[in-house]
Amino acid sequence: MNKQLRNAVIAGNWKMNKTPEETTALINEMKPLVKDADCGVVLCVPFVDLDAALKAAAGSNIKIGAQNCHFEPSGAFTGEVSAPMLKAMGVEYVIIGHSERRTYFGETDVTVNKRTLAALENGLKVIVCVGEYLEQREQGITEELVAMQTKIALNGVSAEQLKNIIIAYEPVWAIGTGKTATAEQAGEVCGVIRKTVGKLYGEDAAKALTVQYGGSMNAKNAEELLAQEDVDGGLIGGASLKAQDFSVIVKAASK
Ligand code: PEP
């Protein structure tokens, strides 16, 4: 992290977990534990939990996000939720392009770009996920792949809109597997993302960009990962469902 240059943000991704009632209880448990955070704290919850999450987090330093949004504002897209709908609820963040959306729901670099643009146009802050599969890492194409995913995701994003973007480097082989990238691997690829953004938007914009690492980040390994200059926070899956563990990660980012 380099807190002189940019904001550190710890975001939880609850995935498909928790009912509204459980959401209220978990956020109420988290609030006192993270209240003194010297970093951004975001919880991205299932659509049906957004209302409960917004109410439980009101007046606290916890910001609420969704885990996806469609690129059209409305229409015949059964099962989808649009960016204006999220904005109207008071949601502040949205994750776009999580590897589980890419792997199981046909999300492509192009739809990630379209969803990102729609979210930004509607005043949401976007956590864009990029990352390689294990075979791609073994083939030695991680850097090119992540640079390409980043460029496509940002196609058409203005320099002003970039200020509302966080990019999360999430190696797919590390998500939910207990296998964490080494701190060096995480730092290296987060650095590649920053360089890619630098080529597109200039040095100052790249320096100010928050780049998170995600992939089995937990209470034990967070400090080492966050010690990397280019790792400005984390996108946390499993550990964000446990108030204590999540708060330890928030504390590691608050140092
Ligand atoms: C994620 O869902 O983005 C994630 C990183 O999950 P986990 O922390 O469980 O690997």
Side-chain angles (χ1 to χ4, degrees):
M1 291 183 294
N2 185 333
K3 287 185 162 180
Q4 264 81 50
L5 294 177
R6 47 196 172 253
N7 298 326
V9 178
I10 299 295
N13 172 19
W14 285 8
K15 312 194 189 204
M16 194 174 71
N17 290 292
K18 304 293 175 191
T19 62
E21 205 176 317
E22 290 166 346
T23 296
T24 305
L26 183 51
I27 293 180
N28 282 339
E29 194 184 344
M30 282 181 177
K31 276 194 293 194
L33 300 176
V34 302
K35 72 175 178 13
D36 298 321
D38 184 25
C39 66
V41 182
V42 182
L43 293 174
C44 297
V45 306
F47 290 132
V48 294
D49 296 330
L50 285 169
D51 185 53
L54 286 161
K55 284 182 181 139
S60 80
N61 59 331
I62 299 176
K63 313 284 185 202
I64 300 302
Q67 299 171 8
N68 186 26
C69 72
H70 198 264
F71 39 84
E72 292 295 340
S74 61
F77 300 101
T78 303
E80 290 285 313
V81 167
S82 74
M85 288 172 180
L86 295 177
K87 188 67 186 172
M89 285 190 80
V91 169
E92 209 171 311
Y93 283 82
V94 62
I95 298 173
I96 300 286
H98 190 278
S99 71
E100 287 151 17
R101 301 282 332 157
R102 294 177 189 255
T103 304
Y104 306 129
F105 302 101
E107 200 78 70
T108 66
D109 289 332
V110 172
T111 58
V112 168
N113 174 242
K114 288 169 80 170
R115 290 178 200 260
T116 298
L117 291 173
L120 291 170
E121 278 154 20
N122 284 282
L124 296 168
K125 298 189 174 103
V126 184
I127 301 175
V128 181
C129 301
V130 296
E132 81 287 3
Y133 286 97
L134 186 57
E135 310 83 74
Q136 295 167 327
R137 174 161 283 271
E138 287 169 350
Q139 260 183 287
I141 59 170
T142 298
E143 296 196 2
E144 290 100 310
L145 185 98
V146 166
M148 187 187 77
Q149 289 176 331
T150 302
K151 280 187 195 166
I152 299 175
L154 297 179
N155 188 24
V157 172
S158 70
E160 197 50 37
Q161 287 174 322
L162 186 74
K163 293 177 186 159
N164 287 323
I165 292 248
I166 292 174
I167 300 184
Y169 165 54
E170 297 212 303
V172 184
W173 48 272
I175 298 176
T177 58
K179 282 188 204 158
T180 318
T182 63
E184 291 71 29
Q185 286 171 329
E188 217 168 81
V189 184
C190 289
V192 168
I193 292 169
R194 196 177 309 288
K195 272 201 200 97
T196 305
V197 168
K199 281 187 202 144
L200 297 171
Y201 296 91
E203 275 298 294
D204 288 351
K207 272 188 204 151
L209 179 76
T210 298
V211 184
Q212 296 174 323
Y213 167 78
S216 300
M217 192 189 269
N218 58 41
K220 290 206 176 91
N221 60 25
E223 198 166 327
E224 193 187 349
L225 288 158
L226 294 168
Q228 292 286 316
E229 163 85 13
D230 281 311
V231 177
D232 308 310
L235 184 53
I236 321 294
S240 70
L241 294 166
K242 295 179 197 133
Q244 278 295 341
D245 288 15
F246 187 67
S247 72
V248 171
I249 300 172
V250 168
K251 280 181 189 124
S254 298
K255 287 186 179 158

